[in-house]
């Protein structure tokens, strides 16, 4: 036990990984052997109890010197593939943050390289570790809500203007000629897309046929901060996910399964499920969650199956590719958004209702009558 780990990217969201590694280290499962950052973390930045891990900006050298068995990669999106392949070439297993890559080609290069190296790779869609996901799939298979008509997803979040100044790649579609694709659906609300596709039984690339996108932004960025996508699965099921980072009243994101005799709503950050069906009162359930790093350790030590393999994110990466290939998101006219001075964030009045309506009706913004919605782009 005490599997040695190197964390690449320990600031920003990487702080969550530091805390999680400390939790597992306290259980005697792992040991933080190294931190890879462009500038070393100060003692104050390392959670108490993690000791003094070796630090270096040279990822490959750090893997060698620490004898790491697992690398957690939480770096900018466009660096994922190269870092993953560096670790794989050294026989180091991976927890790779979502989105796994900024393009389908980079995703395939990563997945194929990892498979050829024979190392385990877990993709960091934490929501797919929720025990609610297989429970909902069982309800669907048992016909609890009748024939499935489609899956909706809604994410109404807020981010201040400073969010897009936190890193050179933030809010970018490309940086120095390299794809980044840091949009609402591909990064902060990527879990809504991946979870909806998982509940639709369509996690693999070959499980989707067409993808329609509508991408806009209120903030002064290249990428989208308000967007929606409709995926048609190989079985003909529509999966519509609407997202914004410009909500008036930010709320918990959710995925909803529509059936002929009811619906199942899943608040995936809370592992909470509401089952509503004909001739029954509402039933609410809360579930546990399998931590993806702990699951990866269990996989290495006793052969437990991985929760989120690269192949299980193929359909999500098809959505990323459709967004990448779509025309650059259109800026919303100034009259469509407002700046909240106290919070220094931009809001789009009415967007909260549109996001919910899209998830409820499986329609795109343009079909719901949003006057600012662009013409949808269709990818096959």
């Amino acid at each position: 036990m005490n599997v040695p780990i190197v964390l690449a990217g320990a600031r920003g969201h990487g702080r969550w990984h530091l805390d999680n590694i400390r939790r597992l280290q306290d259980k005697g499962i792992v040991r933080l052997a190294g931190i890879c950052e462009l500038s070393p973390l100060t003692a104050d930045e390392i959670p108490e109890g993690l000791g003094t891990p070796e630090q270096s900006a040279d990822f490959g050298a750090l893997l060698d010197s620490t004898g790491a068995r697992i690398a957690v990669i939480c770096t900018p999106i466009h660096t994922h593939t190269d870092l993953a392949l560096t670790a794989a070439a050294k026989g180091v297993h991976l927890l790779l943050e979502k989105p796994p890559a900024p393009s389908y080609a980079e995703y395939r290069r990563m997945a194929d390289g990892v498979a050829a190296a024979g190392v385990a790779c877990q993709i960091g869609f934490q929501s797919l570790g929720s025990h609610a996901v297989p429970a909902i799939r069982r309800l669907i298979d048992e016909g609890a809500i009748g024939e499935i008509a489609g899956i909706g997803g809604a994410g109404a979040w807020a981010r201040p203007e400073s969010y897009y100044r936190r890193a050179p790649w933030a809010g970018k579609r490309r940086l120095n000629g390299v794809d980044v694709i840091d949009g609402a659906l591909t990064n902060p609300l990527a879990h809504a897309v991946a979870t909806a596709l998982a509940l639709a039984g369509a996690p693999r690339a070959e499980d989707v046929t067409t993808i329609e996108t509508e991408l806009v932004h209120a903030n002064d960025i290249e990428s989208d901060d308000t967007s929606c996508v409709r995926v048609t699965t190989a079985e003909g099921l529509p999966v519509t996910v609407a997202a914004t980072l410009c909500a008036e009243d930010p709320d918990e994101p959710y995925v909803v399964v529509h059936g002929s005799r009811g619906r199942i709503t899943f608040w995936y950050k809370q592992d909470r499920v509401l089952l509503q069906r004909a001739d029954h009162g509402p039933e609410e359930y809360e579930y546990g969650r399998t931590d993806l790093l702990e699951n990866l350790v269990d996989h290495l030590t006793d052969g437990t199956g991985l929760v989120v393999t690269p192949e299980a994110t193929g359909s999500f990466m098809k959505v990323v590719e459709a967004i990448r290939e779509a025309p650059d998101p259109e800026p919303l006219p100034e009259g469509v958004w407002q700046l909240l001075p106290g919070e220094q964030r931009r809001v789009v009045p009415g967007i909260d209702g549109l996001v919910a309506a899209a998830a409820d009706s499986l329609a795109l913004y343009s079909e719901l009558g949003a006057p600012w919605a662009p013409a949808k782009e269709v990818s096959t």
Side-chain angles (χ1 to χ4, degrees), residues 144-192:
I145 59 170
E147 186 176 346
I148 304 305
I151 316 283
W157 275 3
R159 291 291 184 270
E161 292 178 315
S162 59
Y163 174 76
Y164 298 105
R165 297 192 294 270
R166 75 191 191 283
W169 55 271
K172 292 287 198 299
R173 281 172 68 78
R174 293 167 197 87
L175 182 66
N176 300 324
V178 176
D179 288 322
V180 176
I181 319 300
D182 178 38
L185 287 169
T186 54
N187 194 7
L189 286 158
H191 284 91

Side-chain angles (χ1 to χ4, degrees), residues 75-124:
T75 56
I77 302 164
H78 56 291
T79 66
H80 284 185
T81 293
D82 285 342
L83 291 177
L85 294 180
T86 296
K90 296 177 180 295
V92 178
H93 306 282
L94 290 158
L95 173 60
L96 179 61
E97 257 301 345
K98 60 79 194 160
S103 70
Y104 193 78
E106 284 291 276
Y107 155 75
R108 280 272 40 114
R109 185 165 74 92
M110 178 276 296
D112 293 343
V114 163
V119 300
C121 181
Q122 180 102 278
I123 306 299

